């Protein structure tokens, strides 16, 4: 069971390095999205959402998130059925129907702020 998770972690780390590698060393990434499940988490760092970018997240269940988007950007979760939801800005929990996420998409748009006890908005 650890071997597929380790392979997923390594693959995700390489994806993050690719995204982070596109930023210059003098400029830190403006956007950050952290998706978590229990003690495991995945973080996407980015400077822009133009053009929109997609990150596959197969076999990773998400319970919570911390979304700090770049200005003018929003993060979407796309589930196995193809439905999507926009994540609010801040911290929140993921609705049950989006915990088995297939893709994370960063695209132009404005996400609402998270409120007290808020789940992601759709």
């Amino acid at each position: 069971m650890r071997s597929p998770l380790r392979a997923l972690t390594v693959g995700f780390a390489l994806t993050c390095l690719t995204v982070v590698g596109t930023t210059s060393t003098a400029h830190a990434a403006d956007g950050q999205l952290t998706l978590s499940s229990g003690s495991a988490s995945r973080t996407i760092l980015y400077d822009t959402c133009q053009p929109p970018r997609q990150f596959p997240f197969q076999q990773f269940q998400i319970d919570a998130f911390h979304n700090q988007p770049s200005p003018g950007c929003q993060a979407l979760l796309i589930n196995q059925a193809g439905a999507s939801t926009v994540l609010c800005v801040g911290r929140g929990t993921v609705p049950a129907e989006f915990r088995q996420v297939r893709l994370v998409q960063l695209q132009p748009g404005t996400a609402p702020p998270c409120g007290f006890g808020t789940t992601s908005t759709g």
Side-chain angles (χ1 to χ4, degrees), residues 44-66:
I44 299 171
L45 303 173
Y46 60 99
D47 284 328
T48 182
C49 54
Q50 192 63 276
R53 297 178 180 173
Q54 292 185 342
F55 301 90
F57 264 83
Q58 297 173 351
Q59 300 179 0
F60 184 72
Q61 181 168 329
I62 300 168
D63 297 323
F65 64 89
H66 185 193

Side-chain angles (χ1 to χ4, degrees), residues 93-113:
T93 56
V94 177
E97 62 272 20
F98 291 96
R99 291 192 175 163
Q100 287 291 341
V101 68
R102 179 173 57 98
L103 287 172
V104 173
Q105 181 169 315
L106 303 173
Q107 67 182 28
T110 304

